[in-house]
Amino acid sequence: MAAHLLATPEQRYLRLLEKRPDLLQRVQQYHLASYIGVTPESLSRIRKRISRREAG
């Protein structure tokens, strides 16, 4: 639990992506954003930043 609180939102999203990739397809974006502690807009920016990193 402490690791979740100390992690950045991007780290929380990456951990979720690693441990529960199925949730990313099944759960609405605003629920995921709430879980990692950001707005849906911020989650969108995080996802975009990660996809750029993977593509480049």
Side-chain angles (χ1 to χ4, degrees):
M1 181 67 168
H4 182 79
L5 295 174
L6 296 175
T8 67
E10 188 168 331
Q11 290 168 333
R12 291 181 210 146
Y13 178 78
L14 289 170
R15 188 175 306 125
L16 186 61
L17 182 62
E18 178 185 319
K19 296 198 183 269
R20 294 295 307 270
D22 58 309
L23 287 180
L24 301 178
Q25 301 300 317
R26 298 182 356 208
V27 177
Q28 293 184 1
Q29 185 168 339
Y30 72 92
H31 288 299
L32 293 173
S34 176
Y35 177 75
I36 65 171
V38 298
T39 64
E41 294 81 6
S42 294
L43 177 57
S44 180
R45 286 191 292 271
I46 289 169
R47 293 172 78 169
K48 187 175 183 178
R49 190 168 40 242
I50 289 170
S51 70
R52 280 189 197 151
R53 236 184 277 150
E54 291 174 352

